[in-house]
Amino acid sequence: MSPLPTANTAEVSKHRKHAPVLYRSKVPSIKLWSAVVVLLAIAQHSSAIESKTLCSPVYITVSSLTDYPGNLELNWDQHCGEKPDWVGLFEVDPTVIQTATPLVKINVKDHPWNFYRTKIVLDVPKLPGGWDKGSAETEHSVIPGPHCLPYWIASFKDNILQNTNCLKIQPTWMYDKMNQLSNIPLSKLLLPGTHNSGSYNSNVSVLKGEGFNRFVLTQDHDIWTQLVFGIRYLDFRIGYYRPIEGTASSSDDDYHQDDDVLEDRFWINHDLIKITALTPLLRDIKRFLKFAKNEVVILDIHRLPIGFYFDGKMRSKRHRMLLNLLYQEFEDIAVDYQEVNVPRSKANLHLLDGPRMKDIWESGRRLIICYPEDSAAAVNSLIWPRLRQMWGDKQTPSNLKTYIQGVVSQPLPPTAPKGNPLWAVMAHLTPSALDIIFNPRNNLRKMADSINRNLTIWVQNDWWKKANIIATDFYLGNNLIELSINSVPLKTIYGTDGK
């Protein structure tokens, strides 16, 4: 590997020699370890009480500015403890290989924005822990828990290691925190999501080229990979397309069709633009939930922009065809709205907060399907009513921040007794028509880059207390997954509103 320049000097060594890992010959007693664990828990609890703020001393993000794979970005928060002298990017865990040479070394004082975009490109041929889409065969072939990709960040003060973190997948984070999550309503959790989740560049995408990328693609990963990294909210926009005349599926009258016929008709859309076939994405969700036994995923079919309405009226047969497809795929795993939204006491008749995580787990089902037409939920309890999306339609970071701050600082209007208690903030910028036509240098990647880094700070400072779902473009450009996971113990300490 040739040396890579940084803001100061090149820190890449072609031939690295690492000291062997030393292991103690004696293992401390169980009693001693138990005492240490208790003391650490007390210390963490006290620290959280003092700060009431999520804290991420160091973390890695992936730049959205270029097509996947993007450049790795180093981030540090000098308010989380003592300010470091330097931060490094490593290809091994520096707590294990203490003599490891950093790929990149950054002097903190030279970067007042607490951020540095490296020239190292994310290069991960397979996801770790058996979670790669091509190798995950059964639930027994995957390993629960977080798994580090081969990239670590570490901060140092006086050349003494302060904090470390890695770029990681979090395929089972709800299971990992099952005891803490059990009594928290799903609507009171901070959940990481993606906006226009199916708008990624797949092999079967209809459109190609620069124009396709600029204002259509919002994600770099397929649905399986999004879920494995820790995303738990998916935002789908679905179009209906009539098959070619004369084929077996050309009839628009019979919605009791076989799988092949239904698969031809429904596609992921970004507004009016056809992206990729729907059914393979549904099967990715089903397959993930088969392997990740206790994860809960929200599938928000938020809009149906093509083919479902005519002259302001519903085309009921086409809605029934889509609902039939959803039922075929998810009959065994879709959470029954009526079953989990039963009032538990007279003091909670309207169940404004919705079901607790334990209620969902006890139902034996873990996929929540939300549909834009509440009439569908009225006839099929496996379909939840419309999920409230808070979309600011903003073109600048400052305006988007003001909008979201207003949303999370004010109580939402209570849901109706049969409404959906879940709600999502769409934390992305929206290009105007003039941007699309007259600003050829602008694109969704640049807009996401201007938001994602700021969003991490806004969420960890305050918004984690009130927000439910936050959906973003190019989600690895922020640290929202880790913040969501780290907010769970704080919610158990302070309550679900962070007070």
Side-chain angles (χ1 to χ4, degrees):
M1 183 181 298
S2 60
L4 293 172
T6 70
N8 302 293
T9 58
E11 287 95 7
V12 179
S13 174
K14 183 175 182 181
H15 303 287
R16 295 179 178 83
K17 294 182 180 180
H18 301 308
V21 181
L22 300 179
Y23 297 92
R24 295 183 182 276
S25 59
K26 295 182 179 180
V27 178
S29 68
I30 294 177
K31 289 184 178 180
L32 177 58
W33 276 120
S34 299
V36 170
V37 170
V38 170
L39 290 173
L40 286 173
I42 293 173
Q44 290 175 348
H45 181 96
S46 301
S47 175
I49 289 177
E50 288 178 4
S51 66
K52 281 195 180 183
T53 303
L54 284 177
C55 201
S56 300
V58 290
Y59 56 94
I60 299 173
T61 52
V62 181
S63 173
S64 65
L65 289 178
T66 58
D67 290 348
Y68 184 82
N71 295 74
L72 299 178
E73 301 170 325
L74 306 181
N75 304 264
W76 57 94
D77 187 346
Q78 60 190 36
H79 300 295
C80 294
E82 192 175 7
K83 180 179 179 180
D85 295 329
W86 64 275
V87 172
L89 175 68
F90 296 81
E91 60 182 355
V92 294
D93 185 350
T95 65
V96 176
I97 309 296
Q98 298 179 3
T99 58
T101 302
L103 298 170
V104 178
K105 181 177 179 181
I106 298 300
N107 288 327
V108 167
K109 66 179 181 179
D110 297 331
H111 300 275
W113 296 106
N114 304 329
F115 156 81
Y116 180 76
R117 182 178 296 113
T118 74
K119 295 182 180 180
I120 307 294
V121 175
L122 175 64
D123 182 15
V124 182
K126 286 191 176 182
L127 298 177
W131 287 97
D132 193 72
K133 186 176 179 179
S135 59
E137 297 179 356
T138 70
E139 56 267 38
H140 303 296
S141 66
V142 296
I143 302 173
H147 299 279
C148 289
L149 279 65
Y151 301 104
W152 280 261
I153 181 175
S155 61
F156 293 81
K157 179 73 174 180
D158 297 325
N159 285 324
I160 297 175
L161 180 65
Q162 286 183 308
N163 297 286
T164 63
N165 202 348
C166 66
L167 184 61
K168 63 179 77 68
I169 59 171
Q170 298 271 13
T172 60
W173 68 265
M174 289 180 166
Y175 170 79
D176 301 338
K177 293 191 174 293
M178 199 168 182
N179 291 335
Q180 293 173 312
L181 285 170
S182 184
N183 287 308
I184 301 179
L186 188 62
S187 67
K188 295 296 184 179
L189 285 177
L190 176 63
L191 297 173
T194 49
H195 160 249
N196 264 314
S197 308
S199 292
Y200 61 89
N201 201 356
S202 71
N203 291 331
V204 293
S205 295
V206 174
L207 299 178
K208 301 288 182 181
E210 178 61 24
F212 179 54
N213 283 282
R214 280 184 61 221
F215 290 109
V216 175
L217 297 183
T218 59
Q219 307 300 332
D220 278 323
H221 297 144
D222 61 24
I223 297 302
W224 169 271
T225 304
Q226 292 179 38
L227 294 171
V228 168
F229 265 99
I231 292 297
R232 292 296 174 265
Y233 168 85
L234 301 170
D235 167 38
F236 278 15
R237 322 293 174 95
I238 299 173
Y240 173 91
Y241 294 87
R242 291 197 59 153
I244 300 173
E245 292 296 331
T247 64
S249 58
S250 62
S251 172
D252 195 33
D253 297 326
D254 185 6
Y255 63 89
H256 296 291
Q257 302 273 9
D258 59 40
D259 290 349
D260 291 338
V261 172
L262 290 177
E263 288 179 26
D264 288 342
R265 302 185 179 221
F266 301 109
W267 289 69
I268 290 291
N269 272 46
H270 187 148
D271 292 327
L272 304 181
I273 299 176
K274 188 177 181 183
I275 304 291
T276 192
L278 171 65
T279 303
L281 278 59
L282 301 181
R283 292 176 181 167
D284 272 353
I285 297 171
K286 183 165 64 174
R287 186 163 171 257
F288 172 79
L289 288 174
K290 177 183 177 182
F291 292 171
K293 290 296 186 182
N294 287 288
E295 302 307 292
V296 175
V297 172
I298 301 165
L299 171 57
D300 182 13
I301 300 173
H302 188 71
R303 290 184 60 221
L304 303 168
I306 292 287
F308 288 90
Y309 302 90
F310 180 75
D311 199 21
K313 296 180 181 180
M314 288 177 54
R315 286 179 157 169
S316 299
K317 291 181 180 179
R318 296 180 180 183
H319 283 272
R320 289 197 298 270
M321 289 174 69
L322 176 56
L323 292 168
N324 189 45
L325 175 62
L326 294 172
Y327 185 80
Q328 289 177 7
E329 295 293 334
F330 299 129
E331 176 186 3
D332 296 332
I333 60 175
V335 177
D336 189 303
Y337 173 82
Q338 294 180 3
E339 179 183 342
V340 299
N341 281 282
V342 174
R344 294 185 291 272
S345 70
K346 290 183 179 180
N348 196 19
L349 287 177
H350 297 294
L351 237 153
L352 298 179
D353 293 339
R356 300 165 297 181
M357 290 294 290
K358 114 184 246 192
D359 300 322
I360 297 173
W361 284 323
E362 288 176 353
S363 76
R365 297 161 175 264
R366 291 169 294 111
L367 177 65
I368 294 175
I369 306 173
C370 305
Y371 201 75
E373 290 292 343
D374 289 349
S375 58
V379 297
N380 188 339
S381 61
L382 296 185
I383 302 298
W384 287 44
R386 173 187 292 271
L387 185 147
R388 291 174 292 176
Q389 275 194 6
M390 309 302 174
W391 173 55
D393 189 16
K394 304 301 180 184
Q395 286 72 51
T396 65
S398 59
N399 287 344
L400 182 62
K401 179 185 179 183
T402 300
Y403 169 77
I404 298 179
Q405 184 64 47
V407 170
V408 300
S409 62
Q410 299 294 328
L412 290 177
T415 57
K418 295 183 180 180
N420 192 331
L422 306 176
W423 58 282
V425 169
M426 312 312 286
H428 63 90
L429 295 180
T430 304
S432 67
L434 293 178
D435 279 328
I436 296 173
I437 297 172
F438 297 110
N439 191 355
R441 294 186 178 181
N442 198 19
N443 56 54
L444 294 182
R445 290 185 175 278
K446 290 182 179 179
M447 299 175 89
D449 180 72
S450 69
I451 283 296
N452 276 333
R453 198 158 40 255
N454 292 313
L455 180 68
T456 298
I457 298 170
W458 300 337
V459 172
Q460 75 176 23
N461 286 347
D462 187 53
W463 293 352
W464 68 270
K465 302 172 187 176
K466 298 284 188 179
N468 181 200
I469 299 162
I470 300 181
T472 62
D473 290 346
F474 305 106
Y475 66 98
L476 285 186
N478 59 64
N479 197 37
L480 189 57
I481 294 172
E482 186 167 87
L483 293 179
S484 298
I485 297 170
N486 292 344
S487 73
V488 173
L490 291 182
K491 287 180 179 288
T492 62
I493 294 170
Y494 300 120
T496 53
D497 61 357
K499 292 182 179 179

